[in-house]
Amino acid sequence: MIIMIDFGSQTAHLIGRRLRDLGVTVEYAYPDEALEKIKTCKPSGVIFSGGPDFVDATNAPTISMKIFELGIPILGICYGWQLISYLLGGEGKITTKEFGPETLHISNPVDIFQLPKDTCNVIVSHGYTVTKLPPGFVLIASTERVKNIAAYDPKRKLYGIQYHPEANHTEYGVDLLKNFARDVCGETIHPTELNPQTIIDKIKKTVGKKKVICAVSGGVDSTVTAFLIGKAIGKQLIPVYVDSGLMRPETDKRVEYIFTKLISADLEIIHAKKRFLKALAGITDPEKKRKTIGKLYIDIFNEVAAKQNEVAYLAQGTIYSDVIESKGSKHASHIKSHHNVGGLPKDLNFTLLEPMRTFYKDEVRMLGKKAGLPDDVVNMQPFPGPGYAVRIRGEVTEERLAQEIQADTIVVEEIRKAGLYKKLFQCFAIMTGAYSTAVKGDERAFAEVVGIRAYESVDVMTSQWAKIPYDVLQKISSRIVNEVPNVSRVVYDITTKPPATMEWE
Ligand code: XMP
């Protein structure tokens, strides 16, 4: 077993997931519980995760020096590496900031750093670097801007890396974690796959004879959630689709198809566009929007439950990336309140049932497929619960919603026509709230700028913007400025995650 010390990184749990995929057992601990946990679990190795703080800042999370006296191998990732260096006499400071993809040059490919290539692409996300290695450490790798990006102390088996091996867009990241687990910690590697039946059995045991309202949106996460619950408890499941008016136009039909043809359940559809637009009137702050939407969804589910007997659970398709961005661990930063996690009101009348809460998007797809959902359902592009509201910067009005829907429909149509839809994780339009000048028919127009976002991702935690052919972008741009009223220009968002999140709000 390996113990992961969680210093608040967005990806501490993802590192654990990578090890779990390799068949290695992982336990999590906050830094102040670490020694106690090590005493009870006797791990073969320890990983220090990244975190949002600077190691020398007041109140930054730290760890007892005793951990270095136990003789257990330690791999420090990002903040974890900075902390190892800081505690053992290295030096560091806030220097060159790097966020996103970088090229790693391994100058000393030894020990766990013997990877298929010595030059590879990695994901970095830091604003502090180790400027002088602690005594006993040997330099392994650098990027153009940061010298001490990987190093190790061969005697004490301490490893430090400034990049993120757990990120899907880091080349040979899993190889490095495997080398650490197998060669340094002595763990047996036996890749394992998730089994939907285990989840179905657990749901059956938890729910018993009670009823479950399941919030469905036609998206992958809530569909897989409802499908597994349906398999566990049959007609005790009541899927509820709230038509907020903020979802893609074809969603109603899709939900009906899924919940009548694929899952025979008594689907309830609540039409609530007017209520949502009324609640959102005048709100421009993204967090306030998300919380307003989260609360309204719950109000509606309460109303549905009041008409039923014995509803004890509210099921949601929450997945781990929703949880961690909504400050899902003690030292983590709050990035945004996903409507189904940080956007929920405190006084819920139900117990939450979230069987996908510890999984990532690709795992949810795999569970859905293994449980029997068709490919077109498990592979469809995700669409966020707050819908178009978080793709309209500023106030959501009827008029801007109509513009957004029209622009977004053009993006999806053209991407489909070009045969790119299935290759992309998501693609959509954004009403940016920025205004610019245009000349339309010899007249000056000062109108809104529409943004286009399209990217590839596997697990939501990292993404690369898609290299869409120029002619497709041109087609999208021409159609939007010509067909959508009051739009002056179209821009393409070429930012990776990190640092940018996928949605604009
Ligand atoms: P971000 O913007 O956080 O998006 O990088 C990651 C994934 O989550 C979706 N998303 C949401 N889904 N409720 C949801 O159900 C939300 O509040 C929410 N916010 C973002 C987003 O579309 C992307 O797939």
Side-chain angles (χ1 to χ4, degrees), residues 290 322 325 336-340 382-386 391 425-426 455 460 497 501-503:
R290 285 168 174 277
D322 305 342
E325 289 201 340
K336 58 177 75 172
S337 303
H338 283 243
H339 80 289
N340 46 334
F383 193 77
R391 293 177 177 175
F425 187 81
Q426 276 172 307
Y455 42 81
V460 177
K497 172 181 180 173
T501 58
M502 292 170 171
E503 304 290 343

Side-chain angles (χ1 to χ4, degrees), residues 115-135:
L115 301 173
K117 279 200 304 194
D118 295 341
T119 298
C120 45
N121 296 323
V122 297
I123 295 293
V124 298
S125 181
H126 61 100
Y128 185 99
T129 54
V130 173
T131 50
K132 187 171 164 225
L133 296 178

Side-chain angles (χ1 to χ4, degrees), residues 10 128 136 143 166 235 273 361 398 429 483 500:
Q10 292 289 305
Y128 185 99
T143 61
E166 70 282 9
K235 289 283 181 192
K273 179 177 174 187
K361 185 71 81 184
E398 277 268 19
E483 294 175 31

Side-chain angles (χ1 to χ4, degrees), residues 195-477:
N195 179 358
Q197 194 55 47
T198 320
I199 299 167
I200 294 168
D201 293 344
K202 199 166 158 202
I203 296 170
K204 206 182 275 178
K205 204 165 153 208
T206 310
V207 173
K209 295 267 172 278
K210 302 273 193 235
K211 284 187 184 164
V212 175
I213 285 187
C214 184
V216 298
S217 66
V220 185
D221 306 338
S222 62
T223 301
V224 174
T225 300
F227 193 60
L228 297 186
I229 296 175
K231 285 199 169 254
I233 59 167
K235 289 283 181 192
Q236 288 159 251
L237 164 73
I238 309 162
V240 178
Y241 170 58
V242 177
D243 168 18
S244 60
L246 302 168
M247 306 307 275
R248 280 190 164 141
E250 73 279 3
T251 311
D252 288 30
K253 282 205 188 81
R254 179 166 199 96
V255 170
E256 275 189 65
Y257 160 74
I258 292 172
F259 291 97
T260 51
K261 293 273 182 302
L262 301 179
I263 306 170
S264 106
D266 298 327
L267 172 69
E268 187 143 351
I269 300 185
I270 312 285
H271 295 285
K273 179 177 174 187
K274 279 205 180 114
R275 274 177 87 174
F276 275 85
L277 285 184
K278 195 167 166 214
L280 288 169
I283 299 179
T284 54
D285 176 66
E287 279 297 291
K288 209 164 164 210
K289 258 187 212 175
R290 285 168 174 277
K291 290 196 169 143
T292 303
I293 292 170
K295 178 170 182 318
L296 191 45
Y297 271 125
I298 294 298
D299 288 349
I300 294 172
F301 295 132
N302 277 334
E303 290 161 19
V304 175
K307 292 188 269 155
Q308 295 273 350
N309 293 325
E310 294 180 42
V311 172
Y313 293 92
L314 170 66
Q316 304 196 111
T318 309
I319 64 172
Y320 194 75
S321 47
D322 305 342
V323 176
I324 189 62
E325 289 201 340
S326 307
K327 189 171 172 44
S329 73
K330 188 167 154 188
H331 298 291
S333 289
H334 181 179
I335 308 298
K336 58 177 75 172
S337 303
H338 283 243
H339 80 289
N340 46 334
V341 188
L344 287 181
K346 290 205 172 62
D347 51 337
L348 280 180
N349 290 345
F350 312 97
T351 305
L352 283 180
L353 181 67
E354 299 180 315
M356 298 294 110
R357 194 178 168 93
T358 56
F359 300 120
Y360 292 84
K361 185 71 81 184
D362 54 315
E363 294 179 299
V364 174
R365 292 193 207 274
M366 194 227 289
L367 284 166
K369 195 172 158 61
K370 277 193 170 180
L373 280 170
D375 280 1
D376 65 323
V377 171
V378 292
N379 292 330
M380 70 193 150
Q381 286 192 6
F383 193 77
Y388 287 128
V390 291
R391 293 177 177 175
I392 298 173
R393 281 289 305 113
E395 189 180 0
V396 181
T397 59
E398 277 268 19
E399 192 201 344
R400 296 186 74 216
L401 178 59
Q403 285 174 296
E404 165 65 17
I405 293 177
Q406 213 180 336
D408 185 62
T409 306
I410 292 171
V411 173
V412 176
E413 271 174 16
E414 292 305 325
I415 293 285
R416 276 192 195 279
K417 266 193 230 161
L420 296 171
Y421 183 82
K422 284 191 182 154
K423 288 196 192 132
L424 301 178
F425 187 81
Q426 276 172 307
C427 59
F428 52 87
I430 305 117
M431 298 306 296
T432 65
Y435 283 74
S436 75
T437 306
V439 188
K440 286 190 172 178
D442 283 340
E443 276 187 41
R444 177 182 197 270
F446 190 67
E448 193 158 355
V449 178
V450 167
I452 308 295
R453 188 117 169 90
Y455 42 81
E456 288 154 21
S457 177
V458 172
D459 53 21
V460 177
M461 303 303 285
T462 54
S463 71
Q464 293 274 12
W465 57 276
K467 315 291 181 289
I468 294 181
Y470 287 164
D471 56 338
V472 179
L473 286 173
Q474 177 62 65
K475 189 80 201 288
I476 292 173
S477 164

Side-chain angles (χ1 to χ4, degrees), residues 4 9 11 14-16 18-19 47-50 75-78 104 112-113 115 121-125 149 160-178 180 459 462:
M4 164 74 51
S9 168
T11 55
L14 184 61
I15 307 167
R18 299 283 179 239
L19 292 165
I47 295 183
F48 289 2
S49 82
L75 168 63
I77 296 176
C78 202
L104 182 80
I112 66 168
F113 301 96
L115 301 173
N121 296 323
V122 297
I123 295 293
V124 298
S125 181
I149 208 136
I161 52 174
Q162 187 64 83
Y163 64 94
H164 289 273
E166 70 282 9
N168 199 271
H169 291 96
T170 289
E171 279 184 294
Y172 313 119
V174 172
D175 298 69
L176 184 102
L177 291 173
K178 183 160 73 178
F180 176 72
D459 53 21
T462 54

